Amino acid sequence: MQQTVCIVGGGPAGMILALILARNGVPVTLLEAAQDFKREFRGDTVHPVILDLFDQMGLIDDIFNLEHVKATSFRYRTPTENFLAYDMTTSKYRYPFIALIRQSEMLEVLLEHAKQYPNFQIVMGARVEALLEQNQQITGVRYRQNNNLVDLPSSVVIGADGRFSKVRQLAQTEMLQLSPATDVLWFKLPKYPTDPPDSETDLYLSDKHYIAMLDRADHWQVGFSIPRGGFQAAKQQGVQTIQTVIQERIPWLADRMTQLTDFSQITLLSVQISRAKRWFKPGLLLIGDAAHVISPVGGVGINIAVQDAIATANSITTLLLENRLETRHLAAVQRRRNWQVAILQAQQVAIEKASTDAFEKNQGAKVPTALRFLRSMPLLRELPARLTAYGIIPEKLRPSLAFRSTQS
Ligand SMILES: Cc1cc2nc3c(=O)[nH]c(=O)nc-3n(C[C@H](O)[C@H](O)[C@H](O)COP(=O)(O)OP(=O)(O)OC[C@H]3O[C@@H](n4cnc5c(N)ncnc54)[C@H](O)[C@@H]3O)c2cc1C
């Protein structure tokens, strides 16, 4: 009998994997708890490595038809200097920019493509509540839809259900917890034609906070750091504190700070940095945020989640088609991806710690020393751009699984 796949969670990781499996003839059912993809704000930064993958999958035109902003450079803006961390315009990448694209719209494009394949099924409003298990092998899931419980048997379950993964919890997977030092408050501010043109993804550093700016074409998405666990205290202080910090640090935003009137306009991102010690069990694999939660440093959540999906597709598609998938093949996905995630998380912890140490000493966060060193060395100058764009070892879809026979 043909091996089948159940993917739990229609975020970037689950959707991309479902599309590749379906396109290559594997029967796949995607279960998504929400009724639609219209979340208020999910990660929106799509790095060159992912744009290359979209190209390889023949999706790039549809992706670029969506409204997007191209962020080509990144600056640390401290009170005393503007430090250019990288500039991709001088690189030879096929897509030398980070595309800021609404995640909900990107997911809709992927879904439309997946729906073209008869062996792709999606069930919206399907919340997984239990794993089916026989002889210590996961054999499917039980989900709730409209108050009905449905059992879905499956040869392999992919847990791609995000940072609060139910699948991970049901699999009783032990987590390795690292210590982030900040939480982030996200809110929107209006964008005006007179705003500086070169601030698409810049990071402003003040004495006690960092302020991340994301250019969303018709508005600014602003991330304002607070000490970890400091949400209630920030709420008690009220939005005036945030207004004052931003007015002082980013004077060109002063004219619109009164539009942030109360905390109902603010979304808390409670930052976590953790990863599952084992991403797999017989019949089950975790990918994306379900396998590892990373901090917003670098805006690489989508990037890492999609690369997990690609590594998984490369490893399991042919085996599934030939009914040969075994637990050791799922273990191989963790081996391939885990160390890259571990390096990234260690980097994030170090950057966060350096900033908060400086905040505690009232020194203001500084440009990371390693970055300053790399940028000062002519032969290494381009490395920060390269690492941002492609990471350490970028995943590529196997040519036999690609949607186009050649990459032009
Ligand atoms: C406020 C915020 C800002 C962020 N900013 C950025 C950014 O700028 N750039 C960036 O790259 N990343 C950012 N991230 C992180 C990024 O959104 C995630 O890393 C990325 O979406 C992970 O993809 P995923 O597919 O693994 O999981 P998710 O995108 O979380 O998708 C998981 C899906 O599973 C579904 N689900 C959950 N439980 C169940 C269940 N029991 N049954 C069925 N379905 C279920 C959910 O509804 C969801 O659709 C941000 C995250 C947050 C919260």
Side-chain angles (χ1 to χ4, degrees):
M1 207 168 77
Q2 168 74 67
Q3 287 186 316
T4 58
V5 178
C6 163
I7 299 178
V8 185
M15 192 67 85
I16 289 273
L17 180 59
L19 171 55
I20 299 170
L21 291 176
R23 165 74 171 73
N24 285 283
V26 176
V28 51
T29 305
L30 180 58
L31 302 176
E32 169 51 51
Q35 296 289 354
D36 58 45
F37 297 106
K38 296 187 185 77
R39 319 291 141 76
E40 169 50 19
F41 176 64
R42 295 163 63 138
D44 289 352
T45 47
V46 182
H47 288 59
V49 59
I50 306 302
L51 295 172
D52 279 0
L53 284 165
F54 284 152
D55 193 344
Q56 221 193 342
M57 294 168 69
L59 305 174
I60 199 75
D61 292 342
D62 286 353
I63 293 289
F64 283 155
N65 279 339
L66 301 174
E67 184 180 51
H68 63 282
V69 170
K70 295 181 172 73
T72 54
S73 60
F74 171 67
R75 284 172 192 75
Y76 282 85
R77 295 183 185 264
T78 77
T80 52
E81 67 174 330
N82 290 333
F83 182 85
L84 183 66
Y86 63 75
D87 178 3
M88 291 187 196
T89 51
T90 54
S91 71
K92 295 205 166 58
Y93 312 148
R94 179 181 290 261
Y95 303 105
F97 50 84
I98 294 174
L100 302 176
I101 303 172
R102 277 185 202 91
Q103 197 187 118
S104 52
E105 294 180 7
M106 185 178 86
L107 292 173
E108 296 281 3
V109 166
L110 300 175
L111 178 60
E112 282 316 305
H113 279 266
K115 279 182 175 168
Q116 293 170 18
Y117 303 105
N119 44 348
F120 171 80
Q121 306 282 337
I122 183 162
V123 189
M124 296 299 290
R127 181 172 293 281
V128 167
E129 292 190 351
L131 297 174
L132 308 180
E133 197 166 346
Q134 255 177 16
N135 303 329
Q136 298 182 335
Q137 167 94 19
I138 305 301
T139 55
V141 298
R142 177 168 300 151
Y143 66 87
R144 183 179 292 279
Q145 190 195 30
N146 301 328
N147 276 332
N148 297 320
L149 283 176
V150 182
D151 282 2
L152 178 70
S154 169
S155 313
V156 60
V157 172
I158 307 286
D161 50 340
R163 63 203 315 249
F164 304 111
S165 173
K166 181 74 178 174
V167 174
R168 183 178 71 215
Q169 182 202 327
L170 292 167
Q172 297 182 328
T173 310
E174 215 182 319
M175 294 297 281
L176 186 68
Q177 297 286 350
L178 304 169
S179 2
T182 51
D183 286 333
V184 181
L185 307 179
W186 287 102
F187 52 89
K188 291 177 185 172
L189 287 176
K191 188 173 169 223
Y192 300 150
T194 48
D195 291 347
D198 59 351
S199 295
E200 303 103 344
T201 55
D202 286 0
L203 192 69
Y204 288 77
L205 306 176
S206 77
D207 285 350
K208 295 268 185 201
H209 307 269
Y210 62 78
I211 305 152
M213 301 286 294
L214 291 181
D215 183 344
R216 303 309 334 277
D218 57 351
H219 66 271
W220 292 102
Q221 188 78 41
V222 184
F224 185 87
S225 78
I226 55 171
R228 181 148 177 77
F231 183 64
Q232 286 309 328
K235 219 169 163 182
Q236 269 165 14
Q237 286 173 2
V239 291
Q240 292 75 15
T241 309
I242 302 170
Q243 287 175 343
T244 308
V245 172
I246 294 186
Q247 271 158 1
E248 279 171 9
R249 189 61 205 89
I250 316 178
W252 57 267
L253 284 177
D255 55 0
R256 65 209 84 169
M257 283 319 297
T258 49
Q259 299 201 29
L260 180 69
T261 53
D262 67 79
F263 262 73
S264 64
Q265 294 163 265
I266 291 176
T267 306
L268 167 70
L269 173 60
S270 172
V271 176
Q272 275 186 39
I273 307 182
S274 59
R275 63 180 180 275
K277 288 188 180 168
R278 269 166 75 103
W279 299 19
F280 64 92
K281 268 187 137 175
L284 181 139
L285 177 68
L286 301 172
I287 60 170
D289 278 14
H292 44 70
V293 187
I294 57 181
S295 96
V297 171
V300 286
I302 297 172
N303 185 337
I304 301 299
V306 171
Q307 292 197 68
D308 284 357
I310 298 296
T312 306
N314 284 341
S315 298
I316 71 172
T317 309
T318 310
L319 296 165
L320 283 164
L321 289 170
E322 296 172 355
N323 286 337
R324 291 193 296 118
L325 185 71
E326 295 173 21
T327 310
R328 65 192 167 95
H329 302 122
L330 304 177
V333 175
Q334 173 172 5
R335 264 202 310 282
R336 181 170 178 92
R337 298 293 305 151
N338 191 52
W339 66 272
Q340 298 211 45
V341 173
I343 291 175
L344 173 74
Q345 289 182 323
Q347 234 177 8
Q348 292 188 324
V349 169
I351 291 175
E352 285 218 4
K353 181 158 176 8
S355 311
T356 42
D357 283 354
F359 290 153
E360 274 164 21
K361 291 177 197 150
N362 264 338
Q363 291 174 338
K366 297 201 170 58
V367 175
T369 314
L371 180 62
R372 207 180 272 286
F373 170 76
L374 290 176
R375 294 291 287 164
S376 68
M377 306 297 285
L379 287 176
L380 300 177
R381 274 184 75 78
E382 298 308 316
L383 197 55
R386 174 83 205 169
L387 287 173
T388 304
Y390 288 101
I392 306 169
I393 301 183
E395 300 291 345
K396 275 190 163 181
L397 195 56
R398 274 199 186 151
S400 60
L401 304 180
F403 294 28
R404 300 190 301 145
S405 52
T406 54
Q407 205 173 341
S408 53

